[in-house]
Amino acid sequence: MCCKKDLPPPPKPAPVEKPPQVVKCEPIKKPPKPKKADAEPVCEKASFYRSGDELRAYLDREVVPIMMEGMVALARDQPKDPISYLEHFWLDEKHKCDIPLPENLL
């Protein structure tokens, strides 16, 4: 074993791993945002929807006069059963709003 040929061959060097190849891609382009319209978006409301002002106007026109007339009559007569009194008053007198109500009652 003194000769080179008697020696075992030297081990092969481990293969060096190549670093992964860097792939260059084009940058991703985002689609443009849609332009905002200058006009306000239209909100589809149900046909029965009424604004607060419309509801207030309806109550002031149709409900408040007879209700206040009933309340004035209730305060004037002071019955033992005020709820039944108001019920009868409103059912019997619903088309008669002849009591002048004060302007600043509310």
Side-chain angles (χ1 to χ4, degrees):
M1 287 228 242
C2 58
C3 298
K4 263 186 171 182
K5 63 178 183 177
D6 294 334
L7 294 175
K12 291 183 179 179
V16 178
E17 291 185 25
K18 295 180 181 178
Q21 268 188 336
V22 177
V23 178
K24 292 184 180 180
C25 298
E26 293 182 24
I28 297 174
K29 295 179 183 176
K30 294 181 181 178
K33 292 182 180 178
K35 294 180 181 177
K36 293 182 180 178
D38 293 335
E40 290 290 322
V42 177
C43 180
E44 297 296 328
K45 296 178 182 175
S47 61
F48 59 85
Y49 176 80
R50 301 288 183 261
S51 71
D53 293 338
E54 291 172 322
L55 292 174
R56 178 64 185 229
Y58 166 76
L59 291 174
D60 286 344
R61 183 179 66 249
E62 301 293 333
V63 178
V64 171
I66 189 69
M67 187 173 221
M68 293 310 296
E69 188 177 340
M71 298 300 279
V72 168
L74 182 67
R76 180 183 60 230
D77 296 343
Q78 297 182 359
K80 287 186 178 181
D81 186 9
I83 303 300
S84 294
Y85 178 86
L86 283 175
E87 176 188 2
H88 290 293
F89 179 85
W90 287 330
L91 291 175
D92 296 339
E93 306 287 329
K94 65 181 171 184
H95 297 292
K96 299 177 188 175
C97 286
D98 55 358
I99 298 174
L101 298 176
E103 291 294 320
N104 299 344
L105 196 56
L106 297 177

